[in-house]
Amino acid sequence: MPNRVLITGARAPAALDLARSFAAANWEVHLADSCACLMARWSGVAEAVHRYASPKLQSEIFRSDLQSLMQRFEFNLIVPVCEEVFHLAEAAASLGFADRLFAPSPQVLNDLHSKSRFVQVCERLGISVPKTRRISGQAELDQLAPETERLVFKPEYSRFGAEILIGPSASQLTQISPAEDRVWVAQDRIVGEEVCFHAVAVNGVLTAFAAYGSPWRRPGGVGYAFESLAEVAAAPLFEAAQRLAGFVRDGQFACDAIIDADGRPWMIECNPRGTSGLHLFGGRSELALAMTGQADRLVRGRERGHLGLAMWLYGLPEAIKQRRMASWSRERREGQDVIARGGGAAPVLGALIDSAVFSMRAARTGCSLEQAMTRDIEWNGPGGAQ
């Protein structure tokens, strides 16, 4: 019987490329999520696509669903892609599959996800980070009032650049209401090029790495086109990833950074889970081998790709507005649609329907599309009150 992997977070396009990697390495691939995920179902990548209850909104049913899946399929490995990783890590020990979950421990996950604790981790490891203040009350916020224009404010636990305030005015600062159960951070503003890396650690050793930029982004910074960084820019990010790998021990981790005018990268925040950086590995078997400790050398991700639907829906209007049509056409021509890769039109249609469902959910609840896509899986620190 082949090895069997469960990849959670099937709503994310990155899950498709991860599934392709394991399929190419001759694993039996299963995907799962707490929403319908037609993109995943119609991709033809997985043996099956399962559905479980919302980890955030129905935690006990979620655990029961997980237990049933584990008993029925006896997965050798579970690889999370989205923020369900935090809920999975908390459930793993009590349900008896901690040794099969490819993710850091709950404590390490929190240290990486918290925008204040991550800075402390980097400082201990000698990795450059901007000065960061933790704000848990109005008095601490008032103390920063004279210098807000050179600061960036964001919730301690957040995603997709949600609620971020860059150099806010005094009136904009009134939007913030910090409290012990709703902590914010203020970071020194670093000016430069925004970049990312995605990495894999096994037994504290870096086994896979991809450094990339996103030339096409949504408001808030969410990228939908991805291209590998030149070696000179990637080198200091690689060094930071090596240092962090020893702290992570086992699992995926990804960092956002800003490279300043002197070429120095500053780590801004960390996502200890799958990210769009998975697309740079192109669905090749080497990534699965890197995650299972079977790769004979470091696996590098250098593929160029984009989300085809986003390039049309968001990129084209932006290209017309900013007179970037030549760049838009080049990306469409030279980059690969990471959803359609190997699956034709069916997963693209599924992604369009999935997106429409999330858009209607966002309209109903008055939140952004990105918030609607994560509200049933998001994790906002111990207690989850934020």
Side-chain angles (χ1 to χ4, degrees), residues 371-384:
Q371 289 171 324
M373 291 180 67
T374 59
R375 67 183 308 163
D376 63 326
I377 59 171
E378 67 184 27
W379 190 85
N380 294 311

Side-chain angles (χ1 to χ4, degrees), residues 307-330:
L307 302 176
L309 284 175
M311 285 299 296
W312 284 100
L313 294 175
Y314 307 124
L316 181 57
E318 197 68 18
I320 295 172
K321 180 180 178 181
Q322 297 184 2
R323 298 181 180 178
R324 296 176 62 192
M325 283 302 301
S327 175
W328 183 86
S329 297
R330 185 168 56 253

Side-chain angles (χ1 to χ4, degrees), residues 64 94 107 120 124 132 159 271 307 314 324 374-375:
S64 178
S94 61
Q107 180 59 59
Q120 296 170 4
R124 292 198 302 270
T132 302
R159 57 217 48 88
N271 296 302
L307 302 176
Y314 307 124
R324 296 176 62 192
T374 59
R375 67 183 308 163

Side-chain angles (χ1 to χ4, degrees), residues 202-323:
V202 176
N203 294 325
V205 176
L206 191 69
T207 62
F209 175 80
Y212 63 102
S214 297
W216 295 90
R217 296 173 176 266
R218 289 264 288 152
V222 181
Y224 50 89
F226 323 101
E227 58 184 35
S228 181
L229 294 183
E231 191 60 36
V232 65
L237 297 175
F238 178 73
E239 181 181 344
Q242 284 186 306
R243 296 185 185 187
L244 283 165
F247 178 77
V248 171
R249 295 300 301 168
D250 291 287
Q252 303 178 85
F253 62 102
C255 291
D256 296 339
I258 296 179
I259 300 178
D260 66 18
D262 297 322
R264 180 182 182 183
W266 298 79
M267 296 300 121
I268 304 301
E269 57 188 65
C270 180
N271 296 302
R273 53 175 176 79
T275 66
S276 297
L278 288 168
H279 296 309
L280 278 81
F281 296 94
R284 304 190 316 272
S285 63
E286 287 85 355
L287 179 59
L289 296 177
M291 288 186 174
T292 54
Q294 296 176 294
D296 56 9
R297 62 184 183 278
L298 177 78
V299 176
R300 302 294 292 255
R302 294 191 173 96
E303 298 284 336
R304 180 175 181 176
H306 57 259
L307 302 176
L309 284 175
M311 285 299 296
W312 284 100
L313 294 175
Y314 307 124
L316 181 57
E318 197 68 18
I320 295 172
K321 180 180 178 181
Q322 297 184 2
R323 298 181 180 178

Side-chain angles (χ1 to χ4, degrees), residues 153-211:
F153 294 81
K154 48 193 169 182
E156 180 183 15
Y157 298 99
S158 58
R159 57 217 48 88
F160 301 130
E163 301 180 79
I164 188 170
L165 296 174
I166 301 174
S169 63
S171 60
Q172 289 175 319
L173 206 60
T174 60
Q175 300 174 27
I176 300 177
S177 300
E180 281 296 341
D181 63 348
R182 179 60 169 166
V183 173
W184 284 67
V185 297
Q187 288 185 328
D188 282 2
R189 184 178 181 182
I190 307 296
V191 178
E193 179 186 4
E194 297 180 29
V195 296
C196 308
F197 73 72
H198 187 92
V200 172
V202 176
N203 294 325
V205 176
L206 191 69
T207 62
F209 175 80

